[in-house]
């Protein structure tokens, strides 16, 4: 450890489901890569189980590790706004990823995911495929802002298309819950034309439930995020899972790269980097397929 | 001695025991031979229970040896000595509350076939054993629904059903009435005839005299003597135990004042186990309650003080009708009830003496909203003196006290409330003769002071020796009330057994 | 004022025309739930839905059978959910690795199951050993292993998901999706486990020892029962049950991740307690546990079958139903008239 | 002849050099943890870090003080985490609404606190009432209310997050971030709550009643203790503690959502048990609970001191440390030589 060592703290949610698992994996990869490439940079990675613990982690990054920069993917925007502000006050460079803080002007760099776009892009696809008199069901995540943004954007987009949303239920971004909720939808509704699962973990559960009921021919399923198993199915031209909507966990790596750049390149780095939520179709699927990733 | 030792099945040689730094037994010798009943007696806290725990492997001696069949052994802990034929009835009831009677009797040595329980067979056998003891307990009942005496009978049944070579019994008769004791002794004699070596602990010297062949006396953890029973009189034994001469156990009865006001009147009381009981208690009177096990004496008392539901009938305290909804209200009205189930209902075993003593009266030790420790300590000292409670120090848990000292503590706890009407259930259960005498004198003194006392007791002599009047119960009803010269053992037995019955149809009709 | 016995919840075991609410209560509550479900949506009673429901309850149910032993003997096991996750993970890794050696057929699946059972027994033994020999409270030990197991699966999956190779799935699928004379396999397994559990708890000396230990450890000790051994065995049985549950769980989605089995411990314990077993030990009922498990699944199912309630309130409805169901079955039933006649 | 001693009646407990492991153990384990922390990273001992650590432990610590009462009296409360969430939510709504009336100053904050206390008392009373009068196991009741409270906050937040208006935050911030003579306010509050709890548990009749009920309910009833009332009160105290914890929690994160306070119940109970209180009741130690809470927070902090361990294994390390710490403090300490001398 030289005196000039630059410490970058990375605070992310723990790997409690597929997408956050992906975030963790990409963060670890990026850490190894960046530390190898830049000997004077030390990255400290912390994963939190909840907003309160993430706030603790931020405190510790400052008081124990005295970080020079922070890359944070907030568990939730609201509760972490103040803690991130405290880090900022310690003089650190702040990069916020995915979920924006509740107040403007705290972060130096914002690498924004776009949950609204994910909902809208998915909605567009449903509008395209279905129309008047068609029925769909929606499986949601965990009741949080992220889920709300996705859901509301989706509902707004399909408004006026004549598509009926039979029901929506929380499946907690969890395969098992996706499976069970879908089983119940299947026993309840004899006619379902499409399923919006908004997340690939949920989608995997939905797929199994549909297969079990032998109703694969009746409907299609749209997930979200870009899990390799799902992308593979899209790539192979599956009827059941024709498309996916990207919401890449790799955005954490992007944010880390940008932050390291701030210290290694000469010019100052700042601003917003908004990632889209492109539709993955059989045509472009290959570009989004990383078989080595855990996600 | 060598010849003796070879006859003994189980012997203790120079056994000493200390708990922490406190010595309890000092180099005690003890042995028991096939086909004899060897009684072990001594004051409360003399170390009797400790000695038999050592003899059955539950406690390890600090020094000394156990000799089984002539060879020194180290007994396995945790009741495994039972496999060697050493069976114990512990002083503290030792049954799991959630099991049924049959399950308890066979616990630890279930009969199985192909790995499965032979439930029917065990049930029948349990029934057979209980029948042989002349007790009517449903083998399917759960232990927590039984009265203390029934639990004791289950313990006895459990012990005599095992293949015992040595049967050790720690105060098995403390809660039994003479009738139950009699059938129990028949079973003991039967086992004795089969060559079982029996160790018997009791504070009832008449029982000791009738049952035992030899007697060993312990005092303060020291062996005083082992003698042939025939060589001694009960008085001599008592003297050996206590170390002083014991004159008249019971205090002289003062003449009850027939004009004294009635402080407690019970009319046609109906409750669980009570089928229309009426009686009255005068100021300054000692009223005895006698009856067989399960005759409902306890049930009457618990209903009066509000521990169980009163279904019908009237209770008046000093003329005012009352219906207590909990014992707290009874205490406020000047009544106190001391339970006979000290382990299950009376004392918290896992904490110290002082909090137990003041649990009922904690409000009196509050100053400015906080507990005043000094006042609690003072109460403890008072009770210690009055009831001669003996413990190593105040940090001992109540569960570690000797049985008799627990009983004394419970008496102290009840008397802390400073009551006008005292209801005590089995007041001297497990208490040595010396202390018994003290307690009888305390009771008599209280009555003289104008307090009114109900004594529920299975010890016939106690009821007779203390009471001005005696109510006899049978199957939840009052069958008789005896007064003055009528109070004799035979008379009480006749009412208790249902050979004689009072014309109490009146009460039944009104109930 | 009722007696202490009523608080303890144990009634005399008389066989006369007396309704034992602890046996009968959970059943009545379940029937009430089913009626509610049917009223809300007749699809509730469809054969498919009932099959789904029972199949789902099999996981929690099988785990809860094990938990009944642990709780009856006065212990508690908070680690079962994480244990299920880590066992699933290892099973998947083992099977994926074995493809090269034993092929993609039943042999590989069997090897996987063997690994599962071995791991379950081991994990249970570790819990039991630390509780009894280490003299650490079961709550602490299993809270610790809960964290350890959960971390292990995350580590094994590298934060992501472990997926069973698609080649093996075909051989393994029937264990979850197949059926025997029309009864889904998981339900059959659940039934067998429950029966075995019932026999062991009620018809063997071991079961009796569990109750004795839970009721009064000292008495058990004095009765020459090897308390530590019996208690450790209850955790081993729990581990075995978790491994059986895992064996039927894995073919369902063919994957394991750190989110597998989250909060199953709470569900399993709840099923046990709803079923009438006492949390403080001494008294266990396998039959009640089975009904408790089905009841919990049914509540979830009913909530999915209707949209009259805001999704946000699912948890609240669930909570209310659980409390109401248990209230119904705990003697309070006796206050309803028709029952009073038959009851005490 | 030293038997004379046994005859002098009851002497006051001796205060010799005797180590009570239940008092001493948790403390030793905490010291060991701190040494480990310092060894891993000297920054552990920095003033800032210690302040952070103690401040954090205040939430769980205050809740755990309440839990000590509930558990001592033989109950359990699983709803505290959700209760904290719903109280936070309501506080925020109340304060946001009151801005119009009472402005953005201390007055509004006080109204919020009042609402919090009222709600805490009510929630605690509901738990206690259902447990005692409804005769439903505390486990079931509080499992139910846990779901209900969690749902309510989700509902109030409309699935999202409730956030405190930024105008009020300035007035409220000092409650978390301020300090009194250099001691952070939450630590001061924690200290006061702990002292009050200790006094109530050890120096009042009520505290004695809690222990008696937890130890043997029948004996308590025969000793004229109003069992139901005392038990209900323990839940009310628990509710009050949750509301106090919430009052210092809200200014930290300024928001409440369905993820607020998740699993706090487990942490609170763990703190209580680590501190030496018995899960079965009858024996409670507020001092131990305080140390338990600090210990749990310290473990979390230690994991942040170094990144030599994969993040995925955090939970495992945490589990190992908890088990090891409790193992250390439960008499097993006695086997280590230096302690044996001093001990018995
Ligand atoms: N586990 C223990 N720890 C500490 N002291 C104990 C323990 N067990 C017994 N003692 C003490 O040993 C002494 C002897 O007790 P023991 O129970 O043997 O008396 P006992 O002769 O059976 O009296 P009793 O007639 O009252 O039953 C008592 O002072 C008691 O307090
Ligand atoms: N007929 C009955 N039906 C139901 N319960 C009964 C009946 N008789 C007695 N009991 C119950 O059995 C127990 C035995 O009665 P109780 O303890 O009052 O008798 P006792 O005369 O004090 O005799 P013991 O010395 O055996 O206790 C009581 O708890 C009572 O509620
Ligand atoms: Mg690093
Ligand atoms: Mg004794």
């Amino acid at each position: 450890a030289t005196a000039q060592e630059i410490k970058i703290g990375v605070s992310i949610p723990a790997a409690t489901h597929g997408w956050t698992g992906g975030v963790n994996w990409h963060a670890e990869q990026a850490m190894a890569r960046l530390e190898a490439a830049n000997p004077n940079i030390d990255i400290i990675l912390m994963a939190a189980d909840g907003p309160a613990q993430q706030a603790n982690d931020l405190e510790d990054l400052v008081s124990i590790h005295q970080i020079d920069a922070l890359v944070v993917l907030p568990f939730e925007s609201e509760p972490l706004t103040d803690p991130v502000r405290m880090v900022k006050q310690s003089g650190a460079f702040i990069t916020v990823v995915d979920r924006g803080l509740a107040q403007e002007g705290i972060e130096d760099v914002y690498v924004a995911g776009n949950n609204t776009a994910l909902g809208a892009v998915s909605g567009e696809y449903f509008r395209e495929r279905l129309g008047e008199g068609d029925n769909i069901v929606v499986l949601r995540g965990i009741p949080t802002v992220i889920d709300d943004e996705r859901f509301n954007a989706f509902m707004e987009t399909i408004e006026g298309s004549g598509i009926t949303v039979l029901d929506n239920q929380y499946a907690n971004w969890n395969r098992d819950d996706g499976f069970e909720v879908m089983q119940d939808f299947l026993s309840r509704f004899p006619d379902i034309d499409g399923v919006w699962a908004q997340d690939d973990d949920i989608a995997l559960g939905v797929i199994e439930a549909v297969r079990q009921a032998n109703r694969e021919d009746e409907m299609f399923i749209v997930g979200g995020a870009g899990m390799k198993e799902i992308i593979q199915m899209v790539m192979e031209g599956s009827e059941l899972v024709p498309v996916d909507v990207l919401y890449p966990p790799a955005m954490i790596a992007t944010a880390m790269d940008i932050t390291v750049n701030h210290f290694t390149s000469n010019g100052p780095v700042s601003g917003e980097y908004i990632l889209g939520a492109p539709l993955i179709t059989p045509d472009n699927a290959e570009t989004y397929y990383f078989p080595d990733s855990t996600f | 001695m060598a010849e003796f030792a070879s006859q003994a099945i189980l012997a203790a040689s120079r056994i000493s025991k200390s708990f922490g730094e406190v010595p309890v037994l000092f180099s005690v010798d003890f042995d028991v031979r096939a086909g004899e009943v060897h009684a072990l007696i001594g004051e409360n806290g003399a170390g009797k229970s400790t000695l038999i725990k050592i003899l059955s492997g539950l406690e390890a001696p600090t020094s000394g040896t156990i000799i089984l069949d002539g060879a020194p052994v180290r007994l396995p802990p945790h009741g495994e000595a039972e496999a060697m034929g050493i069976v114990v009835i512990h002083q503290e009831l030792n049954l799991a509350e959630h099991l049924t009677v049959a399950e308890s009797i066979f616990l630890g040595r279930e009969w199985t076939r192909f790995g499965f329980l032979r439930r029917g067979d065990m049930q029948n056998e349990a029934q057979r054993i209980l029948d042989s003891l002349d007790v009517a307990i449903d083998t399917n009942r759960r232990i927590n629904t039984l009265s203390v005496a029934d639990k004791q009978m289950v313990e006895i049944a459990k012990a005599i059903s095992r293949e015992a070579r040595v049967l050790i019994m720690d105060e098995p008769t403390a809660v039994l009435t003479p009738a139950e004791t009699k059938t129990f002794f028949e079973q003991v004699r039967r086992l004795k005839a089969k060559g079982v070596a029996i160790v018997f602990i009791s504070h009832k010297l008449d029982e000791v005299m009738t049952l035992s062949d030899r007697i060993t006396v312990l005092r303060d953890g020291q062996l005083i003597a082992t003698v042939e029973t025939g060589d001694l009189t009960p008085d001599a034994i008592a003297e050996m135990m206590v170390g002083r001469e014991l004159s008249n156990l019971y205090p002289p009865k003062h003449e009850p004042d027939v004009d004294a006001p009635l402080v407690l009147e019970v009319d046609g009381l109906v409750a669980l186990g009570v089928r229309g009981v009426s009686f009255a208690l005068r100021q300054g009177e000692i009223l005895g309650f006698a009856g067989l096990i399960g005759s409902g004496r306890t049930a009457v008392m618990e209903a009066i003080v509000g521990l169980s539901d009163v279904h019908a009938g009237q209770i008046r305290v000093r003329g005012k009708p009352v219906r207590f909804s909990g014992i707290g209200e009874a205490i406020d009205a000047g009544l106190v009830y001391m339970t006979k189930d000290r382990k299950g209902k009376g004392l918290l075993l896992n904490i110290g003496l002082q909090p137990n003593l003041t649990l009922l009266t904690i409000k009196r030790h509050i100053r400015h909203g906080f507990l005043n420790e000094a006042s609690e300590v003072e109460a403890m000292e008072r009770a210690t003196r009055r009831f001669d409670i003996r413990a190593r120090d105040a940090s001992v848990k109540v569960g570690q006290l000797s049985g008799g000292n627990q009983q004394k503590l419970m008496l102290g706890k009840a008397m802390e409330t400073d009551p006008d009407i005292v209801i005590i259930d089995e007041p001297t259960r497990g208490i040595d003769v010396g202390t018994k005498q003290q307690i009888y004198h305390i009771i008599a003194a209280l009555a003289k002071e104008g307090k009114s006392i109900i004594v529920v007791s299975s010890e016939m002599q106690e009821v007779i020796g203390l009471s001005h009047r005696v109510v006899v119960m049978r199957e939840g009803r009052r069958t008789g009330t005896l007064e003055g010269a009528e109070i004799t053992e035979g008379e009480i037995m006749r009412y208790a057994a249902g050979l004689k019955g009072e014309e109490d149809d009146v009460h039944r009709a009104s109930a | 004022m009722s007696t202490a016995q009523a608080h303890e919840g144990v009634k005399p075991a008389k066989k006369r025309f007396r309704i034992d609410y602890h046996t009968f209560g959970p059943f009545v509550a379940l029937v009430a739930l089913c009626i509610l479900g049917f009223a809300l949506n007749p699809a509730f009673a469809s054969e498919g839905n009932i099959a789904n429901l029972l199949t789902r309850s099999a996981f929690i149910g099988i785990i809860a059978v094990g938990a009944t032993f642990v709780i009856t003997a006065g212990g508690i096991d908070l680690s079962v959910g994480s244990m299920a996750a880590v066992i699933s993970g290892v099973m998947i890794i083992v099977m994926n690795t074995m493809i090269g050696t034993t092929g993609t057929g039943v042999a590989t699946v069997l090897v996987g199951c063997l690994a599962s059972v071995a791991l379950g027994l081991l994990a249970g033994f570790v819990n039991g050993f630390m509780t009894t020999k280490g003299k650490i409270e079961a709550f602490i030990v299993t809270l610790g292993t809960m964290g350890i197991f959960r971390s292990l699966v995350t580590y094994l999956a590298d934060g992501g998901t472990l997926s069973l190779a698609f080649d093996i799935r075909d051989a393994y699928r029937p264990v979850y999706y197949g059926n025997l004379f029309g009864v889904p396999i998981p339900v059959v397994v659940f039934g067998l486990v429950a029966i075995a559990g019932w026999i062991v708890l009620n018809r063997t000396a071991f079961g009796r020892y569990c109750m004795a230990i839970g009721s009064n450890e000292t008495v058990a000790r004095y009765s020459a029962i090897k308390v530590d051994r019996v208690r450790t065995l209850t955790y081993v049985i729990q581990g075995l049950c978790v491994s059986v549950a895992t064996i039927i769980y894995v073919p369902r989605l063919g994957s394991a991740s750190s989110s597998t089995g989250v909060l199953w411990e709470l569900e399993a314990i709840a099923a046990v307690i709803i079923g009438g077993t006492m949390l403080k030990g001494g008294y266990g009922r396998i039959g009640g546990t089975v009904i408790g498990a089905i009841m919990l699944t049914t509540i979830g199912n009913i909530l999915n079958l209707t949209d009259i309630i805001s999704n946000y309130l699912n948890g609240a409805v669930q909570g209310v139903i659980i409390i109401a169901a248990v209230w119904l079955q705990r003697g309070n039933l006796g206050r309803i008239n028709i029952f009073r006649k038959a009851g005490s």
Side-chain angles (χ1 to χ4, degrees), chain B residues 19 24 42-51 53 59 91 170-171 201 203 218 390-392 396 399-405 430 432:
Chain B
F19 289 106
V24 181
E43 285 179 290
N44 294 131
K48 305 180 293 294
S49 301
T50 306
L51 179 60
K53 279 182 189 156
E59 295 275 6
Q91 177 172 22
D170 196 350
E171 299 192 34
I201 299 178
H203 288 295
L218 286 183
R390 295 175 192 183
R392 183 173 72 221
V396 211
Q400 297 170 335
L401 285 183
S402 83
N405 281 305
D432 69 52

Side-chain angles (χ1 to χ4, degrees), chain B residues 27 46 51 163-164 183-184 200 205 226 237 256 264 273 279 290 343 372 377 415 463 504:
Chain B
S27 192
L51 179 60
E163 301 287 305
T183 44
F184 166 52
F200 176 65
L205 295 182
T226 300
I237 298 174
L264 177 69
F279 68 91
K343 216 177 161 188
N372 181 342
V377 169
M415 297 316 295
V463 174
D504 67 348

Side-chain angles (χ1 to χ4, degrees), chain B residues 21-23 26 43 220 222 302 307 327-328 331 337 339 343-351 353-355 358-360 362-363 366 369-371 373 376 380 384 389-395 413:
Chain B
E21 291 157 17
V22 182
F26 300 87
E43 285 179 290
D220 297 343
Q222 312 262 8
E302 295 200 349
L307 284 164
I327 195 167
I331 285 169
Y337 169 69
T339 174
K343 216 177 161 188
K345 296 169 177 169
L347 297 170
L348 299 171
L349 301 178
N350 58 347
I351 62 172
L353 279 71
Q354 195 171 297
T358 55
L359 194 59
L360 200 53
I362 193 87
K363 292 255 160 66
I366 301 283
F370 300 108
L371 288 177
E373 205 168 342
E376 277 191 273
M380 188 69 229
T384 307
I389 300 168
R390 295 175 192 183
R392 183 173 72 221
D393 59 40
S395 74
K413 175 182 168 184

Side-chain angles (χ1 to χ4, degrees), chain A residues 74-141:
Chain A
F75 226 100
E76 281 181 10
S77 311
E78 282 291 341
L80 284 153
T81 300
D82 244 10
V84 174
R85 200 216 320 262
M86 304 283 283
V87 180
K88 175 77 184 169
Q89 278 165 9
S90 78
F93 180 86
I94 307 285
T95 303
V96 174
V97 189
D98 188 25
R99 299 152 204 184
L101 299 177
Q103 272 187 316
E104 307 258 310
I106 297 174
E107 72 272 3
D108 297 289
V109 172
Y110 180 28
V111 178
N114 200 332
N115 285 301
T116 309
L118 184 140
V121 170
S122 309
E124 277 306 324
Y125 182 77
F126 277 86
R127 271 193 99 107
E128 221 169 85
R129 285 271 313 251
L130 304 174
E132 195 63 46
D134 285 333
N135 297 320
I136 65 167
V137 290
V138 174
L139 290 93
R140 306 179 58 171

